[in-house]
Amino acid sequence: MSTAHPHQEEISTAIESIRETIQTDGLNRESLDHVLKHLIGLAGHKEWWGADRYPGPDGDDRQARYMISEDADNGYALYLNVMRRGNKIVPHNHTTWACIAAVEGVEKNYVYDRIDDGAIEGRGELKQADIVVVEPGTGIALMPEDIHAVQIEDEEIRHLHMYGRALETLDRRIGFDLDAGTCRIMPIGVKTRR
């Protein structure tokens, strides 16, 4: 979407607070908790993220992703993801920090520990460590090396995703096949709408 969001000033203020948190405190779980609080605050404005401005996926597609904001250097990228029931994203890392906060709908995040040492290319064994349910008023914060999978069970969800680097620049993310015990570079997925 090429036009600025009607609440761009408030969005930019929240992103500036997020930027200051990371620059001042460094990247760690505590600083990401602060980032997540800002993102949950943005997500709390449900009326900002409606289908009138951000339509759901077309036809049989299960996901529509919108770029809301990013820095000139592709940092501090904010997206709105609209996903339909049945959408699943395989276990993957991000290679940058990530926070997800729900506007509406429930997303199950399956969090994994990697149990192999990564020494054999293409091999990747995981063990489920947690399930984090992301629903309005909550979210999840992920360090660059954290691994999670996503499953949508609601009819349609709208969630904000904030990344340290824009998804379109993340060409080293690894996706895992749990059954085969393998891993490979993960494609970007759906095309981002601007």
Side-chain angles (χ1 to χ4, degrees), residues 121-194:
E121 187 174 341
R123 187 95 184 121
E125 295 183 46
L126 303 179
K127 177 181 177 185
Q128 187 175 314
D130 200 3
I131 298 175
V132 178
V133 177
V134 176
E135 58 192 349
T138 70
I140 185 171
L142 301 159
M143 293 289 283
E145 67 278 4
D146 288 346
I147 299 167
H148 78 135
V150 175
Q151 183 170 332
I152 309 306
E153 296 175 355
D154 280 0
E155 196 60 40
E156 183 176 277
I157 70 162
R158 293 174 178 272
H159 287 193
L160 292 178
H161 290 230
M162 181 91 193
Y163 299 94
R165 303 268 321 141
L167 280 173
E168 294 75 14
T169 69
L170 304 180
D171 60 0
R172 305 306 302 164
R173 293 188 313 158
I174 298 174
F176 294 83
D177 182 323
L178 290 173
D179 294 332
T182 58
C183 62
R184 64 182 178 92
I185 298 295
M186 183 177 179
I188 187 65
V190 300
K191 182 176 170 64
T192 301
R193 302 177 187 187
R194 294 184 182 261

Side-chain angles (χ1 to χ4, degrees), residues 5 11 19 48:
H5 193 284
I11 293 167
R19 185 182 296 105
W48 292 6

Side-chain angles (χ1 to χ4, degrees), residues 8 11-28 31-32 35 38-39 42 66-79 96-99 161-170 194:
Q8 191 60 51
I11 293 167
S12 295
T13 298
I15 292 172
E16 183 56 34
S17 295
I18 287 168
R19 185 182 296 105
E20 287 175 13
T21 295
I22 297 292
Q23 289 173 348
T24 302
D25 300 338
L27 180 60
N28 54 60
S31 64
L32 276 188
V35 169
H38 285 292
L39 195 62
L42 286 175
Y66 294 91
M67 172 64 75
I68 305 300
S69 177
E70 73 178 314
D71 288 358
D73 67 355
N74 303 116
Y76 296 92
L78 176 64
Y79 300 84
T96 188
W97 59 265
C99 289
H161 290 230
M162 181 91 193
Y163 299 94
R165 303 268 321 141
L167 280 173
E168 294 75 14
T169 69
L170 304 180
R194 294 184 182 261

